[in-house]
Amino acid sequence: MGGLAIGRSMLRKLSSAHRAIILVSISGLALSGCSLFGGKNKGGDTAYVARDVDSLYTEAKERLDRGDTKVAAALFDEVERQHPYSPWARRAQLMGAFANYVQKDYDKAIEGAQRFLSIHPGNKDAPYAYYLIALCYYEQISDVDRDQRITQQALTALQEVQRRYPATRYAADARLKVDLVNDHLAGKEMEIGRFYEDTGKWLAAQIRFMNVVKDYQTTSHAPEALYRLTETSLALGLPEEAKKYSAVLGANYPGSKWYDRAYSLIEKKKPDLITEG
């Protein structure tokens, strides 16, 4: 019985139970143990020769199981090239995409999974293909101080998995990753907002903090965003707005350090606010 156990997870911040989600089961195949290779070329690379589909696929899978992902990906491509009309070619497309994912060649992995979906959109492994695409983007998420284009692509791809296959294990894992991605994007907004605040650009800062409150209100950054809105409102001479944000902060995060700071700030500013009134 054939199958692929994905033994190397690239996922951050997830438990082993969640990592187990990236198991692709390709079963029902009787695999022989023939070796593919008949020699080496002058450059030292493996010389590929025409082979029957069973032994070619077997060698590709064995290479993958041993962690030789680069050769495995090339061999899965050979399955598709040499036997394009075989059922094995369909399986090899997805296996090759996974092999590229493991060796962090994300562009090739995405290309392979997308090709699989374009040819076999209704295949039973289509949910995994969409999930694999999402993982490829997810693994490339950069630090919050860098461009977030990939992060947005990861979010879109993960949401696509949820939309298309809501009852699958892939959707369940995608939901967890969406939360992490949203937290990451909120962190980027906060970083920019703090920069504007530090440079006295209060309105620009408020726009960023409002984005967090509006679009990422369930993330870990929401309490700080409300505190920063309190700060910037006072800086803009809008005490009633400051009180409003402080009250929302107290109602939703009464025990947080950000509410304590907001309360202290409002109390400290009270004499000035009364005078202004």
Side-chain angles (χ1 to χ4, degrees), residues 56-277:
L56 186 56
Y57 188 95
T58 298
E59 184 67 24
K61 183 182 179 300
E62 288 177 352
R63 287 281 182 163
L64 183 62
D65 291 343
R66 295 202 300 266
D68 195 354
T69 53
K70 185 174 182 178
V71 172
L75 290 172
F76 284 125
D77 285 346
E78 281 296 296
V79 172
E80 186 180 358
R81 186 182 70 81
Q82 292 187 26
H83 306 280
Y85 305 110
S86 166
W88 296 62
R90 181 181 66 246
R91 299 178 186 276
Q93 282 181 341
L94 200 52
M95 296 285 274
F98 169 70
N100 283 315
Y101 162 76
V102 173
Q103 65 173 326
K104 300 184 181 181
D105 193 340
Y106 298 121
D107 289 343
K108 281 188 179 179
I110 291 170
E111 180 184 349
Q114 288 176 336
R115 186 173 73 253
F116 174 87
L117 289 169
S118 69
I119 301 172
H120 315 288
N123 186 268
K124 65 181 179 63
D125 289 321
Y128 178 77
Y130 278 103
Y131 180 67
L132 185 60
I133 291 170
L135 287 183
C136 288
Y137 287 123
Y138 181 81
E139 296 298 342
Q140 298 179 80
I141 291 177
S142 60
D143 296 334
V144 294
D145 59 347
R146 298 183 181 179
D147 178 70
Q148 298 301 299
R149 181 179 58 87
I150 287 289
T151 310
Q152 291 287 355
Q153 289 175 307
L155 181 61
T156 299
L158 289 165
Q159 290 172 334
E160 185 74 356
V161 174
Q162 291 180 267
R163 185 183 69 81
R164 287 178 176 272
Y165 309 103
T168 65
R169 57 185 177 177
Y170 304 120
D173 192 60
R175 278 190 287 273
L176 294 173
K177 291 180 178 59
V178 163
D179 289 341
L180 294 174
V181 172
N182 279 330
D183 202 80
H184 191 87
L185 290 170
K188 181 64 175 181
E189 290 292 301
M190 291 300 299
E191 180 191 45
I192 297 172
R194 285 191 293 266
F195 171 78
Y196 284 141
E197 186 178 8
D198 290 343
T199 55
K201 298 176 182 177
W202 314 117
L203 283 175
Q206 280 211 325
I207 290 172
R208 296 295 181 164
F209 299 141
M210 281 299 301
N211 287 344
V212 174
V213 172
K214 180 170 65 76
D215 298 330
Y216 307 109
Q217 57 187 265
T218 60
T219 69
S220 63
H221 299 280
E224 183 185 355
L226 287 165
Y227 169 72
R228 299 295 177 186
L229 284 167
T230 303
E231 272 189 331
T232 52
S233 293
L234 288 173
L236 287 165
L238 301 171
E240 293 305 315
E241 287 293 299
K243 290 177 184 178
K244 181 187 74 174
Y245 291 125
S246 180
V248 173
L249 182 53
N252 289 278
Y253 309 98
S256 73
K257 67 178 182 180
W258 298 112
Y259 173 63
D260 291 341
R261 292 184 185 183
Y263 180 82
S264 297
L265 185 62
I266 293 292
E267 288 296 306
K268 182 180 178 180
K269 291 288 186 178
K270 262 186 179 180
D272 295 333
L273 300 180
I274 293 172
T275 301
E276 291 173 7

